[in-house]
Amino acid sequence: MDIRVQSIKFNADQKLLDFVEKKFSKFERFNDSISGVDVALSLLPDHDNKNVKVQVSIPGGTIVVERNAKTFEDAVVDCADIIKEKLVKAKEKKMQ
């Protein structure tokens, strides 16, 4: 599984990149047919100005989740939780 992280209009520090990698590398446990994960980190002008958009490529489609939060870590955790649920549902649907 390939995890690609892109920081838009800022330079992400290694600690944040490691956090993102750690969170999304666990996805293979929920669905072993994931071909790739694309993560885009960006800054927004509003109060909850950290934006995280995650695209997970699986056979038959792509799961896309986007969240805003006060910190990138919070947004990453929110995205990861939602994607875990969707991966489990997709795997269950495939098994039926």
Side-chain angles (χ1 to χ4, degrees):
M1 179 176 76
D2 186 26
I3 300 174
R4 293 173 295 280
V5 182
Q6 179 183 17
S7 54
I8 302 168
K9 296 184 182 177
F10 78 101
N11 292 324
D13 64 349
Q14 191 59 46
K15 186 175 156 186
L16 177 58
L17 296 174
D18 291 343
F19 180 79
V20 170
E21 183 92 21
K22 181 181 174 188
K23 276 292 178 192
F24 295 125
S25 65
K26 297 176 183 177
F27 284 172
E28 284 185 306
R29 288 188 289 178
F30 302 102
N31 191 324
D32 54 2
S33 61
I34 297 171
S35 58
V37 178
D38 291 309
V39 182
L41 308 171
S42 60
L43 298 170
L44 301 173
D46 30 309
H47 179 64
D48 289 343
N49 71 336
K50 308 300 191 284
N51 178 269
V52 176
K53 182 176 182 180
V54 183
Q55 294 181 323
V56 179
S57 301
I58 57 174
T62 303
I63 298 172
V64 179
V65 175
E66 188 170 1
R67 288 290 177 264
N68 300 336
K70 290 184 179 182
T71 66
F72 282 116
E73 289 81 2
D74 288 345
V76 166
V77 169
D78 288 348
C79 286
D81 290 343
I82 292 166
I83 290 172
K84 282 178 196 173
E85 290 176 23
K86 290 185 178 208
L87 286 172
V88 169
K89 284 182 185 177
K91 188 172 184 177
E92 288 172 355
K93 190 184 244 186
K94 183 178 145 186
M95 295 176 117
Q96 290 179 349

